Amino acid sequence: MDGRFDTRRRLVLLTAQLSGPTATATVTLAVDTGAARSVIRPSLLLSVGCDPSRSASHIRVVSATGTERAPVVRVDHLLCAGTQRGPLWVAAHDLPSRFDGDGLLGLDFIRPGPLSIDFIRGRVFFSPRRWWRLWR
């Protein structure tokens, strides 16, 4: 959960800690600046005590394969790359089986602060960094 990612992979995949009302789980999320809301697989949300089937709120999820409705659930917090956000409303949606991660880290997590991605060193920072610190 320190913001490191494998630069050889196609996606920027980060390890995050997902906390719900009953448990905490480690998840792998792809940084997606094209997603307005973070998306997590329903099975993982269930494992931390967030039941998507009981959600009264839904959003439209648009992907390359079409448009679907997805329930929105409240998670206590999400901790990623040293930054914690929460409570956070995330969409419960199964991603394609060929997708390597457990979900997407969307603008709802990213937007409250600066985002820096160092593709050379394989690091992501969600907090203000002085430019000279990137060269250390």
Side-chain angles (χ1 to χ4, degrees):
M1 286 162 258
D2 62 355
R4 295 181 194 278
F5 66 94
D6 186 348
T7 58
R8 298 168 294 181
R9 298 191 77 155
R10 224 172 36 86
L11 300 173
V12 176
L13 292 169
L14 300 174
T15 302
Q17 183 180 22
L18 171 68
S19 294
T22 61
T24 300
T26 300
V27 295
T28 302
L29 303 175
V31 175
D32 187 351
T33 60
R37 186 179 303 268
S38 296
V39 177
I40 299 177
R41 293 186 192 276
S43 58
L44 285 167
L45 291 167
L46 272 171
S47 74
V48 299
C50 302
D51 188 353
S53 68
R54 299 184 67 182
S55 174
S57 177
H58 289 75
I59 63 166
R60 188 174 56 137
V61 176
V62 180
S63 69
T65 59
T67 302
E68 297 179 50
R69 282 175 35 100
V72 178
V73 298
R74 181 187 176 274
V75 298
D76 291 346
H77 72 264
L78 194 57
L79 173 64
C80 185
T83 299
Q84 181 173 305
R85 305 263 195 258
L88 197 65
W89 292 88
V90 301
H93 185 65
D94 276 319
L95 298 159
S97 59
R98 65 187 179 278
F99 181 72
D100 293 336
D102 300 313
L104 306 173
L105 195 62
L107 291 177
D108 56 341
F109 187 91
I110 298 168
R111 189 169 275 153
L115 165 65
S116 300
I117 303 176
D118 182 343
F119 285 99
I120 295 169
R121 291 174 182 78
R123 297 286 311 264
V124 171
F125 305 100
F126 290 109
S127 59
R129 308 263 312 162
R130 302 241 190 257
W131 64 269
W132 62 83
R133 297 201 59 192
L134 294 176
W135 279 270
R136 288 188 177 183

